[in-house]
Short mmCIF file of all heavy atoms in Angstrom, two decimals:
data_model
loop_
_atom_site.label_atom_id
_atom_site.label_comp_id
_atom_site.label_asym_id
_atom_site.label_seq_id
_atom_site.Cartn_x
_atom_site.Cartn_y
_atom_site.Cartn_z
N ASP A 216 81.28 78.10 65.63
CA ASP A 216 81.42 77.33 66.84
C ASP A 216 82.70 76.40 66.77
O ASP A 216 82.71 75.38 67.42
CB ASP A 216 80.14 76.47 67.12
CG ASP A 216 79.05 77.20 67.82
OD1 ASP A 216 79.31 78.47 67.93
OD2 ASP A 216 78.00 76.70 68.11
N LYS A 217 83.67 76.83 65.99
CA LYS A 217 84.96 76.06 65.99
C LYS A 217 85.76 76.39 67.14
O LYS A 217 85.94 77.63 67.44
CB LYS A 217 85.67 76.29 64.64
CG LYS A 217 84.92 75.74 63.44
CD LYS A 217 85.79 75.92 62.11
CE LYS A 217 85.08 75.34 60.95
NZ LYS A 217 85.89 75.52 59.68
N GLN A 218 86.38 75.39 67.81
CA GLN A 218 87.10 75.59 68.98
C GLN A 218 88.48 76.26 68.59
O GLN A 218 89.16 75.75 67.77
CB GLN A 218 87.35 74.32 69.74
CG GLN A 218 88.26 74.45 70.94
CD GLN A 218 88.37 73.23 71.63
OE1 GLN A 218 87.42 72.51 72.12
NE2 GLN A 218 89.66 72.65 71.75
N VAL A 219 88.79 77.47 69.24
CA VAL A 219 90.04 78.17 68.88
C VAL A 219 91.04 78.12 69.99
O VAL A 219 92.23 78.12 69.85
CB VAL A 219 89.83 79.56 68.45
CG1 VAL A 219 89.11 79.60 67.10
CG2 VAL A 219 89.10 80.32 69.50
N THR A 220 90.52 77.91 71.25
CA THR A 220 91.45 77.67 72.41
C THR A 220 90.75 76.74 73.46
O THR A 220 89.41 76.63 73.41
CB THR A 220 91.71 79.08 73.18
OG1 THR A 220 90.41 79.69 73.52
CG2 THR A 220 92.56 79.98 72.40
N TYR A 221 91.47 76.14 74.20
CA TYR A 221 90.90 75.10 75.12
C TYR A 221 91.75 75.11 76.41
O TYR A 221 93.03 75.34 76.32
CB TYR A 221 91.02 73.68 74.51
CG TYR A 221 90.74 72.49 75.39
CD1 TYR A 221 89.47 72.05 75.63
CD2 TYR A 221 91.77 71.95 76.18
CE1 TYR A 221 89.19 71.01 76.45
CE2 TYR A 221 91.56 70.93 77.01
CZ TYR A 221 90.23 70.45 77.21
OH TYR A 221 89.99 69.37 78.05
N GLN A 222 91.11 74.92 77.54
CA GLN A 222 91.89 74.84 78.72
C GLN A 222 91.10 73.93 79.81
O GLN A 222 89.86 74.12 79.97
CB GLN A 222 92.01 76.23 79.38
CG GLN A 222 92.91 76.25 80.65
CD GLN A 222 93.22 77.59 81.10
OE1 GLN A 222 93.69 78.44 80.37
NE2 GLN A 222 93.10 77.89 82.34
N PRO A 223 91.80 72.93 80.32
CA PRO A 223 91.12 72.08 81.36
C PRO A 223 90.75 73.01 82.55
O PRO A 223 91.37 73.96 82.89
CB PRO A 223 92.27 71.14 81.83
CG PRO A 223 93.20 71.18 80.76
CD PRO A 223 93.17 72.47 80.10
N LEU A 224 89.68 72.59 83.20
CA LEU A 224 89.09 73.29 84.33
C LEU A 224 89.35 72.47 85.65
O LEU A 224 88.60 71.65 86.05
CB LEU A 224 87.62 73.47 84.15
CG LEU A 224 86.91 74.67 84.89
CD1 LEU A 224 87.73 75.98 84.71
CD2 LEU A 224 85.57 74.82 84.49
N TYR A 225 90.53 72.71 86.27
CA TYR A 225 90.91 71.95 87.44
C TYR A 225 90.35 72.63 88.66
O TYR A 225 90.76 73.82 88.89
CB TYR A 225 92.41 71.76 87.53
CG TYR A 225 93.15 71.14 86.42
CD1 TYR A 225 94.09 71.83 85.67
CD2 TYR A 225 92.80 69.90 85.98
CE1 TYR A 225 94.73 71.21 84.67
CE2 TYR A 225 93.40 69.25 84.97
CZ TYR A 225 94.41 69.99 84.25
OH TYR A 225 95.03 69.42 83.13
N PHE A 226 89.52 72.00 89.54
CA PHE A 226 89.08 72.70 90.69
C PHE A 226 88.62 71.66 91.71
O PHE A 226 87.92 70.81 91.54
CB PHE A 226 87.84 73.56 90.39
CG PHE A 226 87.36 74.39 91.52
CD1 PHE A 226 88.02 75.61 91.92
CD2 PHE A 226 86.30 73.88 92.30
CE1 PHE A 226 87.57 76.26 92.96
CE2 PHE A 226 85.85 74.66 93.39
CZ PHE A 226 86.45 75.85 93.73
N THR A 227 89.15 72.00 92.94
CA THR A 227 88.74 71.16 94.14
C THR A 227 88.79 72.03 95.30
O THR A 227 89.79 72.75 95.53
CB THR A 227 89.73 69.98 94.42
OG1 THR A 227 89.83 69.14 93.31
CG2 THR A 227 89.10 69.08 95.54
N ALA A 228 87.69 72.21 96.06
CA ALA A 228 87.61 73.07 97.22
C ALA A 228 86.73 72.39 98.35
O ALA A 228 85.91 71.59 98.00
CB ALA A 228 87.12 74.50 96.83
N PHE A 229 86.93 72.93 99.52
CA PHE A 229 86.28 72.31 100.67
C PHE A 229 85.68 73.32 101.62
O PHE A 229 86.37 74.27 101.94
CB PHE A 229 87.28 71.46 101.43
CG PHE A 229 86.67 70.46 102.33
CD1 PHE A 229 86.23 69.17 101.85
CD2 PHE A 229 86.51 70.65 103.64
CE1 PHE A 229 85.65 68.20 102.72
CE2 PHE A 229 85.94 69.82 104.56
CZ PHE A 229 85.51 68.57 104.06
N ALA A 230 84.32 73.20 101.95
CA ALA A 230 83.76 74.13 102.87
C ALA A 230 84.38 73.95 104.26
O ALA A 230 84.34 72.89 104.79
CB ALA A 230 82.32 73.87 102.89
N ARG A 231 84.96 74.99 104.82
CA ARG A 231 85.69 74.84 106.03
C ARG A 231 85.69 76.16 106.78
O ARG A 231 86.77 76.74 107.22
CB ARG A 231 87.15 74.48 105.66
CG ARG A 231 87.91 75.33 104.53
CD ARG A 231 89.10 74.77 104.11
NE ARG A 231 90.10 74.56 105.10
CZ ARG A 231 90.83 75.56 105.67
NH1 ARG A 231 90.81 76.75 105.20
NH2 ARG A 231 91.60 75.34 106.68
N ALA A 232 84.53 76.67 107.04
CA ALA A 232 84.45 77.97 107.85
C ALA A 232 85.16 77.88 109.14
O ALA A 232 85.68 78.91 109.63
CB ALA A 232 82.95 78.33 107.99
N ASP A 233 85.17 76.73 109.83
CA ASP A 233 85.76 76.70 111.05
C ASP A 233 87.24 76.35 111.08
O ASP A 233 87.84 76.33 112.13
CB ASP A 233 85.05 75.59 111.92
CG ASP A 233 85.07 74.17 111.30
OD1 ASP A 233 85.22 74.18 110.07
OD2 ASP A 233 85.02 73.18 111.98
N LYS A 234 87.81 76.13 109.88
CA LYS A 234 89.26 75.70 109.83
C LYS A 234 90.02 76.56 108.90
O LYS A 234 91.03 76.19 108.43
CB LYS A 234 89.33 74.22 109.38
CG LYS A 234 88.67 73.31 110.40
CD LYS A 234 89.39 73.16 111.71
CE LYS A 234 88.78 72.15 112.66
NZ LYS A 234 89.39 72.17 113.95
N ARG A 235 89.52 77.71 108.64
CA ARG A 235 90.17 78.54 107.50
C ARG A 235 91.57 78.91 107.98
O ARG A 235 91.80 79.34 109.09
CB ARG A 235 89.37 79.75 107.27
CG ARG A 235 89.81 80.49 106.03
CD ARG A 235 89.00 81.68 105.74
NE ARG A 235 89.38 82.39 104.49
CZ ARG A 235 88.97 82.01 103.30
NH1 ARG A 235 88.14 80.96 103.14
NH2 ARG A 235 89.36 82.61 102.26
N VAL A 236 92.54 78.67 107.05
CA VAL A 236 93.93 79.06 107.33
C VAL A 236 94.25 80.23 106.39
O VAL A 236 94.26 80.16 105.25
CB VAL A 236 94.85 77.80 106.94
CG1 VAL A 236 96.36 78.20 107.24
CG2 VAL A 236 94.46 76.69 107.89
N ASP A 237 94.66 81.30 107.06
CA ASP A 237 94.93 82.53 106.26
C ASP A 237 96.42 82.74 106.04
O ASP A 237 97.22 82.31 106.82
CB ASP A 237 94.32 83.75 106.99
CG ASP A 237 92.84 83.69 107.13
OD1 ASP A 237 92.19 83.23 106.15
OD2 ASP A 237 92.29 84.04 108.21
N ASN A 238 96.70 83.42 104.98
CA ASN A 238 98.07 83.70 104.64
C ASN A 238 98.51 85.02 105.23
O ASN A 238 97.67 85.87 105.63
CB ASN A 238 98.26 83.69 103.06
CG ASN A 238 98.36 82.27 102.55
OD1 ASN A 238 98.41 81.31 103.34
ND2 ASN A 238 98.40 82.19 101.27
N PHE A 239 99.77 85.23 104.99
CA PHE A 239 100.42 86.48 105.49
C PHE A 239 100.63 87.42 104.30
O PHE A 239 100.37 87.07 103.22
CB PHE A 239 101.71 86.21 106.22
CG PHE A 239 101.63 85.03 107.08
CD1 PHE A 239 102.39 83.84 106.83
CD2 PHE A 239 100.89 85.06 108.27
CE1 PHE A 239 102.27 82.72 107.58
CE2 PHE A 239 100.79 83.98 109.06
CZ PHE A 239 101.56 82.81 108.81
N GLY A 240 101.02 88.60 104.68
CA GLY A 240 101.46 89.51 103.62
C GLY A 240 100.37 90.56 103.34
O GLY A 240 99.20 90.40 103.72
N GLU A 241 100.73 91.63 102.74
CA GLU A 241 99.82 92.77 102.48
C GLU A 241 100.02 93.15 101.03
O GLU A 241 101.03 92.85 100.37
CB GLU A 241 100.10 93.90 103.39
CG GLU A 241 99.87 93.49 104.88
CD GLU A 241 100.14 94.69 105.83
OE1 GLU A 241 100.64 95.72 105.27
OE2 GLU A 241 99.94 94.60 107.02
N GLY A 242 99.00 93.90 100.54
CA GLY A 242 99.13 94.31 99.21
C GLY A 242 98.71 93.35 98.21
O GLY A 242 98.34 92.13 98.47
N ASP A 243 98.92 93.64 96.92
CA ASP A 243 98.46 92.73 95.80
C ASP A 243 99.19 91.48 95.71
O ASP A 243 98.71 90.44 95.29
CB ASP A 243 98.46 93.51 94.41
CG ASP A 243 97.41 94.66 94.44
OD1 ASP A 243 96.47 94.61 95.15
OD2 ASP A 243 97.71 95.53 93.61
N GLN A 244 100.45 91.47 96.09
CA GLN A 244 101.26 90.29 95.97
C GLN A 244 101.00 89.37 97.09
O GLN A 244 101.22 88.04 96.99
CB GLN A 244 102.71 90.65 95.79
CG GLN A 244 103.03 91.43 94.50
CD GLN A 244 102.53 90.72 93.32
OE1 GLN A 244 102.81 89.50 93.06
NE2 GLN A 244 101.77 91.37 92.44
N GLY A 245 100.79 89.92 98.27
CA GLY A 245 100.22 89.08 99.39
C GLY A 245 101.32 88.22 100.13
O GLY A 245 100.95 87.52 101.02
N GLY A 246 102.59 88.38 99.80
CA GLY A 246 103.57 87.44 100.55
C GLY A 246 103.54 86.04 100.05
O GLY A 246 103.10 85.74 99.00
N PRO A 247 104.06 85.13 100.86
CA PRO A 247 104.25 83.75 100.45
C PRO A 247 102.90 83.03 100.36
O PRO A 247 101.91 83.35 101.06
CB PRO A 247 105.11 83.21 101.53
CG PRO A 247 104.77 83.98 102.73
CD PRO A 247 104.61 85.44 102.24
N LEU A 248 102.93 81.98 99.48
CA LEU A 248 101.75 81.08 99.41
C LEU A 248 101.81 80.09 100.52
O LEU A 248 102.86 79.63 100.92
CB LEU A 248 101.81 80.33 98.10
CG LEU A 248 101.52 81.06 96.83
CD1 LEU A 248 101.72 80.23 95.61
CD2 LEU A 248 100.13 81.67 96.85
N ASN A 249 100.62 79.68 101.05
CA ASN A 249 100.54 78.67 102.11
C ASN A 249 99.48 77.74 101.74
O ASN A 249 98.38 78.10 101.39
CB ASN A 249 100.31 79.40 103.46
CG ASN A 249 101.53 79.93 104.16
OD1 ASN A 249 102.54 79.20 104.26
ND2 ASN A 249 101.38 81.16 104.54
N GLY A 250 99.63 76.49 102.03
CA GLY A 250 98.71 75.44 101.88
C GLY A 250 98.88 74.49 103.11
O GLY A 250 99.54 74.82 104.11
N ALA A 251 98.46 73.32 103.00
CA ALA A 251 98.68 72.27 104.03
C ALA A 251 99.94 71.54 103.75
O ALA A 251 100.66 71.23 104.60
CB ALA A 251 97.44 71.37 104.23
N PHE A 252 100.12 71.16 102.49
CA PHE A 252 101.32 70.35 102.14
C PHE A 252 102.51 71.20 102.07
O PHE A 252 103.62 70.79 102.43
CB PHE A 252 101.11 69.71 100.81
CG PHE A 252 100.11 68.57 100.83
CD1 PHE A 252 99.08 68.67 99.91
CD2 PHE A 252 100.09 67.55 101.71
CE1 PHE A 252 98.15 67.68 99.96
CE2 PHE A 252 99.15 66.59 101.68
CZ PHE A 252 98.12 66.63 100.79
N PHE A 253 102.44 72.46 101.51
CA PHE A 253 103.58 73.39 101.37
C PHE A 253 103.25 74.71 101.91
O PHE A 253 102.13 75.33 101.60
CB PHE A 253 103.85 73.43 99.85
CG PHE A 253 103.99 72.03 99.13
CD1 PHE A 253 103.15 71.66 98.22
CD2 PHE A 253 105.09 71.31 99.55
CE1 PHE A 253 103.25 70.46 97.61
CE2 PHE A 253 105.24 70.05 98.86
CZ PHE A 253 104.28 69.55 97.94
N GLN A 254 104.22 75.25 102.52
CA GLN A 254 103.97 76.62 103.16
C GLN A 254 105.19 77.53 102.89
O GLN A 254 106.22 77.07 102.58
CB GLN A 254 103.79 76.52 104.69
CG GLN A 254 102.52 75.69 105.08
CD GLN A 254 102.34 75.62 106.64
OE1 GLN A 254 103.12 76.16 107.34
NE2 GLN A 254 101.35 74.83 106.97
N ASN A 255 104.91 78.82 103.03
CA ASN A 255 105.92 79.90 102.87
C ASN A 255 106.64 79.84 101.55
O ASN A 255 107.81 79.94 101.43
CB ASN A 255 106.91 79.76 104.01
CG ASN A 255 106.35 80.01 105.36
OD1 ASN A 255 105.65 81.06 105.64
ND2 ASN A 255 106.45 79.07 106.28
N ILE A 256 105.87 79.64 100.49
CA ILE A 256 106.46 79.59 99.07
C ILE A 256 106.71 80.98 98.62
O ILE A 256 105.84 81.65 98.17
CB ILE A 256 105.53 78.84 98.16
CG1 ILE A 256 105.20 77.45 98.70
CG2 ILE A 256 106.26 78.71 96.81
CD1 ILE A 256 104.15 76.67 97.95
N ALA A 257 107.96 81.45 98.74
CA ALA A 257 108.37 82.75 98.32
C ALA A 257 109.46 82.79 97.39
O ALA A 257 109.82 83.90 96.88
CB ALA A 257 108.56 83.63 99.65
N SER A 258 110.18 81.67 97.21
CA SER A 258 111.29 81.70 96.34
C SER A 258 110.96 81.89 94.89
O SER A 258 109.92 81.44 94.40
CB SER A 258 112.04 80.42 96.57
OG SER A 258 113.12 80.25 95.58
#
């Protein structure tokens, strides 16, 4: 039981069935990332 690897578990999410914002793009890469603060992150 000796620790050999460690990683913080950062997670925050919000139930928002009526406000879901979907991204664009197709396929596995899915195009640019979109959030509320930052959008169209493709560079």
Side-chain angles (χ1 to χ4, degrees):
D216 281 3
K217 292 183 178 180
Q218 180 177 299
V219 294
T220 55
Y221 168 92
Q222 187 170 313
L224 203 53
Y225 304 122
F226 183 81
T227 307
F229 196 85
R231 49 190 305 277
D233 59 335
K234 297 292 181 184
R235 191 175 184 87
V236 178
D237 296 320
N238 280 356
F239 316 111
E241 298 178 354
D243 292 338
Q244 296 305 310
L248 291 175
N249 278 312
F252 293 126
F253 308 112
Q254 295 181 5
N255 299 303
I256 305 173
S258 170

